[in-house]
Amino acid sequence: MTRILAVDDEPQILRALATNLRARGYDVDLAPSGEAALTLAATKHPDLVILDLGLPGMNGHEVLRSMR
């Protein structure tokens, strides 16, 4: 099954993404911060990442650079 990592600092957006993606049969992991996203990406190995670029602290660009 396809695993998706959704990264956003707004809980309501993460809930909406999780609900919709799971309803379509995807495995979904949620990260509320860049640091959490990097940890989940290293352990869960997602097939796709939905990444908010405007994260507080470690922004989305830094997360993307670290994931690569």
Side-chain angles (χ1 to χ4, degrees):
M1 186 174 294
T2 302
R3 178 171 296 281
I4 298 175
L5 172 58
V7 186
D8 202 300
D9 59 321
E10 295 188 37
Q12 63 273 27
I13 291 175
L14 285 180
R15 276 194 305 274
L17 283 169
T19 299
N20 283 291
L21 292 169
R22 287 179 180 142
R24 285 158 180 78
Y26 295 103
D27 283 331
V28 180
D29 296 309
L30 305 174
S33 68
E35 294 83 359
L38 292 176
T39 300
L40 282 170
T43 58
K44 300 286 187 160
H45 308 288
D47 298 297
L48 176 75
V49 177
I50 300 172
L51 178 61
D52 177 11
L53 295 179
L55 295 169
M58 177 181 244
N59 70 42
H61 295 284
E62 294 169 319
V63 173
L64 184 58
R65 273 192 292 276
S66 294
M67 282 186 184
R68 287 184 176 172

